[in-house]
Amino acid sequence: MAESYDVIIIGSGPGGYVAAIRASQLGLKTAIVEREHMGGICLNWGCIPTKALLRSAEVLDHANHFKDFGLVLEGTVKPDAKAVVGRSRAVSARLNAGVGFLMKKNKIDIIWGEAKITKPGEVVVGKSSKPVVEPQHPLPKNVKSGEGTYTAKHIIIATGARPRALPGIEPDGKLIWTYFEALKPDVLPKSLIVMGSGAIGIEFASFYRSMGVDVTVVEVMPTIMPVEDAEITAIARKQLEKRGLKIFTSAKVSKVEKGAGSVTAHVETADGKVQQITADRLISAVGVQGNIENLGLEALGVKTDRGCVVIDGYGKTNIAGIYAIGDVAGPPMLAHKAEHEGVVCVEKIAGLPNVHPTDKGKVPGCTYCNPQVASVGITEARAKELGRDIRVGRFSFAANGKAIALGEDQGMVKVIFDKKTGELLGAHMVGAEVTELIQGFVVAMNLETTEEELMHTIFPHPTVSESMKEAVLDAYGRVLNA
């Protein structure tokens, strides 16, 4: 007979493994199916290893400005590509192993292979077509199950997403890269074209520029990081260009020609002119698409839209007993959104009272380039599109004592309030460590904090976080330090 579970989760990325842990905590017999790496893309090829690379870049950037801090550095500091990549992969491997440990600790069965939902309540697992290839990522020792048929009252799809490819500019792993190849270069290219300036594209552009690579970014939208507030991205662009990045906006790569060891991109600008740019490598960072194939969804009648599974606020699909969370369930395609959706989905399955549906309007976004960009809520432009009567406050890091002392005075905090109610509609930041600061505004929005409460909050001095309060004060004509 098929082994039976309360919950089977397909995919062990941040959404999947967190959902499994929460299900186990709630007393549900749980199994997780994985075909390649524990931790999914995030821990192995996304969030974590890219941050390790960017940390190396940050240290290198600081080393190149020692004189600004009154320090003398004997000799020169230069990147060792192999060592930088090795550190990144080691960080990934450590967390990969950690997920396996958490599964064992929480008594969650790991089923190794590729899953297909043959009918509601039944999952057939076949041999994985993606065997583990890295010695740093061995098969977990606590795998208890493998190929076979399994049953569960509740099946959660958490299969994530993969890089999207443009026709005629498909990645080949050699001259045209996705983030997979960009994370593990054998040697650093001397020049690089990055197609797309979302979080993935701009982070790699920032990293490779810090490593001394000549980087050109091509973005089809009028601004880089198009989902962010235009005023914030304008500041980020200025700083990125000051670091030596070349940026084309309102432009597209219409064609790519491959040479023996280089690529030539035909970049078409808004005025119809075409410029040819040749570089050693090109990174395709034009978005991702959900992994919905070969799961049996079409035969089951599970509703999808633009390559993602359609769900409600609790992860439910249109088919009873089948759920989806994370990237496969659509934007925003962020690890922390996946984790939250996983917890909400499982708590609803378990019948906990007062489970709140996921509010995508309160999901923060972070881009870890130099300078960092972070936000939550709506932009100023979106607020005006919605017809909201708003107050906008701004505060520059150039007026913040801690930022000046750190040598990080190029940044800004921007907040948007509803003029009538004082509701915080959006918060947007650019500058050093704003990916850490943004959570203050995320908490405020979740607590439905008003401007009055924020203005009465005491922020420690000296901190960069004081800029948050000053921006709020500025929105109401009460700024103190500018």
Side-chain angles (χ1 to χ4, degrees), residues 26 47 74 111 114 123 127 208 238 243 270 284 303 358 429 445 452-453:
L26 293 170
C47 320
E74 299 291 344
I111 303 170
E114 299 205 17
V123 175
K127 186 176 181 180
Y208 276 99
K238 183 178 179 181
R243 291 178 53 212
S284 177
K303 187 176 180 181
T358 299
M429 303 176 172
M445 289 182 71
E452 194 68 25
E453 291 163 326

Side-chain angles (χ1 to χ4, degrees), residues 277-299:
I277 302 173
T278 300
D280 293 342
R281 300 290 184 271
L282 182 147
I283 296 177
S284 177
V286 292
V288 297
Q289 61 190 78
N291 293 319
I292 62 173
E293 298 84 3
N294 305 316
L295 289 167
L297 304 185
E298 186 174 345

